Amino acid sequence: MRVDADVRDADAILAEAARTLDFSRPVGLTMLGIMGQLPDEDDPWALVDRLLDALPAGSYLALSDGTDTSDALNRAVASYNANSAGSYHLRSPERISDFFHGLEMVEPGVVRTSAWRPDPHQSPVDTLRGHAVSSVGLKV
């Protein structure tokens, strides 16, 4: 399914998704690298809440985004934002964790994307580089 809508237009997204998805059954909402496109002033947390509100219990949110934990990346993104029609908004891992409020976190929680594993006994890959965090939360 393809939805052509501005990510801030939750009603349009939900209406189009409802043409294909059965919202009486659990749904997986993936927000991968999207929330960084929105500044804090647009309240991306409220947008995620609005989308999750439309989904039944048993649905999951998978979300990842870039963090502000690297001076080099912060400078690169600042340069990009100064020279681009668009902008990207890095956030702290704690602010990214706020997208999951009210959800039951799937272990290992909010961690560097390359280290996220649904099986805690599985070893992480060698590449623990990168400045994005990911997690999955269950709506109960």
Side-chain angles (χ1 to χ4, degrees):
M1 168 185 57
R2 179 178 170 181
V3 176
D4 289 320
D6 187 305
V7 70
R8 294 168 289 204
D9 192 350
D11 291 334
I13 292 167
L14 291 167
E16 190 61 29
R19 293 168 34 111
T20 302
L21 302 174
D22 178 357
F23 284 163
S24 69
R25 299 181 52 139
V27 173
L29 173 62
T30 58
M31 307 294 285
L32 308 175
I34 295 172
M35 294 296 94
Q37 304 297 322
L38 302 178
D40 288 355
E41 298 79 41
D42 284 357
D43 197 359
W45 299 274
L47 170 65
V48 171
D49 287 345
R50 171 68 181 98
L51 294 169
L52 285 169
D53 285 347
L55 305 182
S59 294
Y60 284 90
L61 168 65
L63 187 142
S64 70
D65 239 316
T67 64
D68 63 359
T69 56
S70 162
D71 290 338
L73 181 60
N74 291 336
R75 287 190 304 274
V77 169
S79 177
Y80 169 81
N81 290 347
N83 296 294
S84 174
S87 60
Y88 194 81
H89 307 275
L90 299 170
R91 294 187 172 91
S92 70
E94 295 77 22
R95 290 300 284 154
I96 293 171
S97 294
D98 290 342
F99 287 110
F100 295 92
H101 74 273
L103 300 179
E104 184 177 295
M105 298 302 294
V106 174
E107 289 298 327
V110 177
V111 296
R112 195 181 325 216
T113 300
S114 62
W116 200 95
R117 297 285 181 273
D119 179 356
H121 303 294
Q122 183 180 9
S123 298
V125 295
D126 247 357
T127 312
L128 292 180
R129 304 183 118 197
H131 302 285
V133 294
S134 300
S135 194
V136 175
L138 172 65
K139 182 175 178 179
V140 290

